[in-house]
Amino acid sequence: MDNVLNFVIVGHVDHGKSTLIGRLLYDTDSLQPDRIAEMEKMSKSRGRDENEFAYLLDHLEEERKQGVTIDTTQVFFSTDKRHYVIIDAPGHVEFVKNMITGASQAEAAVLIVDAEEGVMEQTKRHSYMLNMLGLKQIITVINKMDLVQYSEERFKQVQSDVQEFLASIGASSDITLPIAAAKGDNIAKPSENMPWHKGPTFLDSLDSLKGRIPAEDKSLILPVQDVYKVDDKRINAGRVEAGCIEQGEAVKVIPSGQKTKVQSVEKFLEEPERACAGESIGITTEDALFLDRGDIVCREGGEPTLADCFRARIFWMSKRPLDTSERLFIRCATQQTRCSIDTIEKRIDSSTLKVLEENGTKLENLEVGEVIIKTKKEIAFDDFNSTQEMGRFVLVKDENIVAGGIITGR
């Protein structure tokens, strides 16, 4: 089973993310017996009749004391169809930075909402972030159905609230499920407590998601990270982000537009003739080209877009407000150049999604901006959903990352 799907679980704190992940590990036999015994012992010592599945994730002492998931955690489990990697993103506003890091690796998302509390501030913020990162496959789970007596009416109300909110930000969720993660209702098998739910279980829903087109099947993208002189060879090193590259192949270098052929593919202690997406390699060229960090090796006809002005959505992550007059650096893949925010078309509260200002001049901490960025020199970029590394970027000020974002167009 080579098939792997990465997904992120997001939602308001205490709506049950850690419990859901713990239950998934338990129901898919992904836990070592000693971990189960430890969980059972801890649950009994705390006077709980049921196993506390969240304990499996909250493995740091600080987390146990505070009862809060702090860091972004990656855990693994499998069904008969494929392997899964879960990215457990934190729920508190302060940790939204971590969520960006987690969600950007995902191919799909699970939005968890408490049946009793309904849509909360962090639910909205995380939903917007998923949309901002281009995640189109979203499963909504209405958790803690046991606290509302497994009420179909309450489920439909919360489902309606979630769908209405997602529609307001241009997002949607094709699957909405009622679950009670702590009790195991509708996780791996249908719930006897909710006979009115005729849809799939949570695991069935995951198995229905589509994985991304394999990166090696896409057009070649090789951002140059560094250039090494070894004996009489100039080795251009980098990570293949998309497609494959092989000895003798005709390639193009941007932004210069130079064309050449690959003389050799270099790998430490190996002599490969070919390398594909995900591999860190070096190449030499038949012609004496002087490549540099930030150059992109690609195929003619499959070049990424090259521009010095483009639209983007950014999430400002600095306590110091963004001022459009200040100079920043943009980093996209291995490229780096000076840039400025030419226009803030919309300044948005990332929680309420209220447009605070149009054509403004500043962004405050944790606000979203729909902006136009101008760069000192042209940079290469691609659609985020096609090649993530070429579609996302960070903005840097005084060596500190102050914003993350994705390019939305020219």
Side-chain angles (χ1 to χ4, degrees):
M1 211 174 13
D2 299 325
N3 202 354
V4 179
L5 187 135
N6 296 348
F7 69 96
V8 64
I9 299 185
V10 300
H12 192 80
V13 66
D14 295 334
H15 280 198
K17 294 191 301 296
S18 293
T19 300
L20 174 58
I21 294 170
R23 170 60 78 171
L24 280 172
L25 297 177
Y26 186 78
D27 284 356
T28 54
D29 299 322
S30 303
L31 294 169
Q32 298 293 332
D34 59 327
R35 293 296 299 275
I36 296 173
E38 188 183 355
M39 174 185 67
E40 289 172 345
K41 181 182 174 184
M42 174 57 67
S43 301
K44 283 175 184 170
S45 72
R46 294 175 71 168
R48 305 292 171 91
D49 293 331
E50 296 170 341
N51 288 327
E52 288 199 52
F53 291 101
Y55 174 83
L56 297 168
L57 270 292
D58 296 340
H59 55 283
L60 298 174
E61 273 307 316
E62 186 178 353
E63 289 186 33
R64 288 176 183 169
K65 287 174 190 166
Q66 295 181 1
V68 175
T69 312
I70 290 179
D71 207 356
T72 298
T73 312
Q74 293 197 5
V75 290
F76 311 86
F77 70 95
S78 302
T79 64
D80 290 339
K81 181 172 180 179
R82 63 180 157 212
H83 300 297
Y84 289 94
V85 179
I86 315 174
I87 303 159
D88 176 33
H92 281 60
V93 174
E94 297 82 24
F95 306 122
V96 170
K97 269 190 188 180
N98 288 3
M99 196 196 106
I100 292 174
T101 309
S104 63
Q105 301 167 35
E107 298 159 66
V110 173
L111 178 63
I112 189 164
V113 184
D114 186 312
E116 201 169 38
E117 293 190 351
V119 176
M120 303 288 283
E121 174 195 338
Q122 201 73 350
T123 316
K124 293 180 178 181
R125 194 187 298 269
H126 284 187
S127 299
Y128 189 89
M129 289 303 305
L130 296 177
N131 193 45
M132 174 185 168
L133 289 163
L135 285 166
K136 303 297 184 191
Q137 296 189 98
I138 301 174
I139 296 174
T140 303
V141 292
I142 313 297
N143 190 28
K144 304 188 184 181
M145 286 298 297
D146 51 311
L147 300 184
V148 294
Q149 291 73 53
Y150 299 100
S151 164
E152 182 179 11
E153 185 181 351
R154 178 58 183 163
F155 168 72
K156 285 183 174 176
Q157 179 59 57
V158 178
Q159 178 184 30
S160 173
D161 292 345
V162 172
Q163 287 178 340
E164 185 180 329
F165 178 76
L166 290 175
S168 76
I169 60 172
S172 63
S173 175
D174 294 334
I175 303 170
T176 306
L177 302 167
I179 66 166
K183 308 272 188 185
D185 287 289
N186 209 28
I187 304 297
K189 54 181 187 289
S191 168
E192 294 177 1
N193 294 308
M194 294 180 284
W196 45 266
H197 174 66
K198 307 299 183 189
T201 63
F202 182 62
L203 285 179
D204 289 337
S205 300
L206 287 177
D207 281 346
S208 73
L209 295 172
K210 294 174 184 171
R212 277 206 187 96
I213 297 170
E216 60 264 28
D217 293 347
K218 299 174 184 174
S219 190
L220 171 67
I221 299 280
L222 171 59
V224 176
Q225 289 179 352
D226 217 335
V227 179
Y228 301 98
K229 191 93 164 50
V230 179
D231 298 328
D232 58 343
K233 288 197 280 191
R234 281 179 67 87
I235 298 176
N236 306 289
R239 183 179 186 270
V240 184
E241 295 297 346
C244 294
I245 190 165
E246 56 188 275
Q247 192 175 325
E249 181 180 3
V251 293
K252 183 177 178 179
V253 179
I254 57 173
S256 68
Q258 295 168 294
K259 298 172 189 176
T260 187
K261 285 188 176 180
V262 178
Q263 185 166 13
S264 67
V265 176
E266 307 278 339
K267 209 168 182 183
F268 186 61
L269 298 180
E270 293 181 38
E271 294 182 7
E273 293 183 356
R274 187 171 191 263
C276 289
E279 292 186 67
S280 293
I281 57 150
I283 62 164
T284 62
T285 57
E286 288 187 2
D287 303 290
L289 303 187
F290 291 91
L291 306 192
D292 206 350
R293 179 180 171 85
D295 284 340
I296 310 290
V297 178
C298 56
R299 280 198 195 95
E300 189 166 16
E303 303 96 334
T305 304
L306 203 59
D308 61 4
C309 185
F310 50 85
R311 283 188 155 76
R313 257 191 220 124
I314 64 172
F315 192 80
W316 192 252
M317 300 183 292
S318 170
K319 289 189 167 62
R320 207 177 90 191
L322 162 69
D323 189 307
T324 50
S325 65
E326 65 185 314
R327 295 291 172 260
L328 305 164
F329 279 95
I330 184 169
R331 291 178 186 163
C332 178
T334 59
Q335 306 168 98
Q336 174 170 305
T337 186
R338 285 188 179 278
C339 74
S340 61
I341 307 298
D342 183 66
T343 310
I344 300 176
E345 295 184 315
K346 286 183 183 175
R347 179 177 154 228
I348 300 165
D349 182 312
S350 64
S351 170
T352 64
L353 297 186
K354 179 182 175 186
V355 177
L356 302 172
E357 190 179 14
E358 293 195 12
N359 297 316
T361 57
K362 67 173 185 175
L363 275 182
E364 300 282 353
N365 191 27
L366 300 182
E367 287 181 348
V368 170
E370 294 188 359
V371 302
I372 296 175
I373 296 177
K374 281 195 170 175
T375 55
K376 186 176 180 182
K377 63 181 184 182
E378 288 186 320
I379 67 166
F381 58 87
D382 203 352
D383 178 75
F384 175 77
N385 286 310
S386 174
T387 313
Q388 286 195 7
E389 279 301 314
M390 297 297 294
R392 68 176 170 210
F393 61 89
V394 293
L395 297 178
V396 178
K397 174 80 173 176
D398 300 328
E399 295 302 315
N400 293 313
I401 292 174
V402 291
I406 61 169
I407 296 168
T408 56
R410 293 184 68 171

